[in-house]
Amino acid sequence: MANPSRKKKTLGHFKFGSVLFSTTLSLFIVGLFGVILIQARTLTKMIRENIEIQVFLDKGLSEEQLKEIQKNISARPFILTTTDTIGLRFVSDEEAAATFVESTGEDFTKFLEDNPLRDSYVIAVAEEFQTSEQLETIAKDLEAIPGVFEVSYMTDLVESINKNLLKVSLVMGGFILILIITVVMLINNTIRLALFSQRFLIRSMQLVGATRGFIRKPFLMRALLFGMIAGAVASLILFGLVQYTKANIEGFAMLQNQAMLLTLFGVLIVVGGILSVFSTLRAVNKYLNMSLDELY
């Protein structure tokens, strides 16, 4: 005949094992969506870094005038600057002509004596200055520089990118909200069901004079431990999935941001602990406030 105490102990382990599994699964789904957001953010940044402004110069400018214009432009705060490069480069009229001939296959120098193309500066714009209004202000500012003939940028492309990014942000924001609510409810319900079998233990501790804090402490400590373990396991699974994807999908590594991924893993561990503690606290308080008849 089976030992009742052993059966009860096995049942308890099963219930808390199911809590750990459910919490890990929930955090994994949240983390997977977080990885997608990081990749989308990186891709957006890469697209925005390709938005450039072309500053065409007057013809016949001297070397001193060109240096003065470059100095003037490089002092502007909207130029994209990274640890390796500054988003400002000079394109001579000869280089522009060679690029035109290579891209079109037509050599206009055979029937034109003078090169109609101009020297120019190509500016990569920092992401925070890429709204349509800001780019228009930047263009007017650059056109006011002596020696600048014309400023050009792809207006339609910028507006299209900004509109599409706004739509995508709203949709993903809605998904995030729904996902957070679903995960919180799932973890809360799972923990509440797991603690249902412990309700008489809680009542017994009350009857022998244990304080509420004393009763809550072991449950909360175990919830914190389980939640952080679930977050760590979910992070390890995500890390393995990311590494596998990087090794098997070409170009996927370009969308990775190691710093943000590590931050995401840390957030999963912390959130797992907080949600587990919060849900456990609610469940324990519920059973502490119940009468004996309600417990049955």
Side-chain angles (χ1 to χ4, degrees):
M1 185 175 178
N3 190 337
S5 61
R6 185 177 179 182
K7 182 178 179 181
K8 184 176 181 181
K9 186 176 180 181
T10 303
L11 182 61
H13 285 310
F14 171 76
K15 286 182 178 296
F16 284 102
S18 66
V19 170
L20 182 61
F21 175 78
S22 299
T23 306
T24 301
L25 181 60
S26 301
L27 293 175
F28 171 76
I29 295 172
V30 173
L32 184 61
F33 199 79
V35 171
I36 294 173
L37 285 178
I38 291 173
Q39 292 173 346
R41 177 71 182 84
T42 306
L43 179 60
T44 299
K45 185 177 181 181
M46 292 172 60
I47 293 173
R48 285 183 173 277
E49 286 178 354
N50 290 321
I51 294 178
E52 297 177 332
I53 294 178
Q54 288 185 300
V55 181
F56 297 100
L57 308 178
D58 293 333
K59 285 185 172 293
L61 296 177
S62 65
E63 288 293 328
E64 290 297 322
Q65 289 175 310
L66 290 175
K67 289 180 180 179
E68 185 63 29
I69 293 173
Q70 180 174 347
K71 182 180 178 182
N72 199 335
I73 294 175
S74 61
R76 298 298 198 271
F78 51 77
I79 296 178
L80 176 65
T81 304
T82 64
T83 54
D84 300 325
T85 58
I86 297 177
L88 177 65
R89 59 187 175 88
F90 177 74
V91 180
S92 65
D93 55 353
E94 291 87 359
E95 185 180 347
T99 302
F100 179 85
V101 171
E102 183 180 353
S103 60
T104 62
E106 298 181 5
D107 188 359
F108 62 87
T109 59
K110 293 181 179 179
F111 51 86
L112 289 178
E113 296 181 0
D114 185 36
N115 183 359
L117 303 179
R118 298 173 178 269
D119 294 335
S120 65
Y121 283 101
V122 179
I123 302 172
V125 183
E127 188 175 357
E128 60 268 25
F129 293 94
Q130 290 187 8
T131 64
S132 300
E133 294 77 12
Q134 287 174 311
L135 288 174
E136 186 177 350
T137 302
I138 290 171
K140 291 179 180 178
D141 179 41
L142 293 173
E143 286 176 344
I145 298 175
V148 173
F149 175 77
E150 184 183 19
V151 176
S152 174
Y153 64 94
M154 301 181 69
T155 310
D156 294 338
L157 175 62
V158 172
E159 291 181 354
S160 176
I161 290 175
N162 289 334
K163 287 180 180 178
N164 289 332
L165 286 177
L166 178 61
K167 292 177 182 178
V168 171
S169 299
L170 291 174
V171 172
M172 295 189 76
F175 275 121
I176 291 173
L177 181 60
I178 295 172
L179 183 61
I180 290 175
I181 294 173
T182 303
V183 166
V184 170
M185 291 178 62
L186 177 61
I187 294 176
N188 182 70
N189 290 335
T190 303
I191 291 177
R192 188 175 64 180
L193 289 174
L195 288 175
F196 181 76
S197 62
Q198 307 289 313
R199 65 193 187 282
F200 292 113
L201 175 61
I202 294 172
R203 171 59 62 174
S204 299
M205 295 172 72
Q206 276 186 303
L207 292 175
V208 297
T211 63
R212 285 175 172 258
F214 182 83
I215 296 171
R216 293 190 192 104
K217 185 177 179 179
F219 290 102
L220 296 181
M221 293 299 293
R222 182 165 52 182
L224 178 63
L225 178 63
F226 277 30
M228 295 183 70
I229 291 175
V233 173
S235 299
L236 285 174
I237 297 173
L238 282 171
F239 179 76
L241 181 62
V242 169
Q243 294 301 115
Y244 175 81
T245 310
K246 284 171 63 176
N248 291 274
I249 299 180
E250 186 178 354
F252 186 82
M254 296 174 60
L255 301 178
Q256 299 307 304
N257 186 315
Q258 294 298 327
M260 294 185 72
L261 276 177
L262 291 176
T263 302
L264 174 64
F265 296 156
V267 168
L268 288 178
I269 294 173
V270 173
V271 168
I274 292 174
L275 284 179
S276 296
V277 168
F278 176 74
S279 300
T280 301
L281 181 62
R282 287 192 61 194
V284 172
N285 284 340
K286 176 184 176 182
Y287 295 128
L288 283 173
N289 295 325
M290 279 185 174
S291 65
L292 186 60
D293 292 336
E294 289 174 328
L295 287 177
Y296 283 98

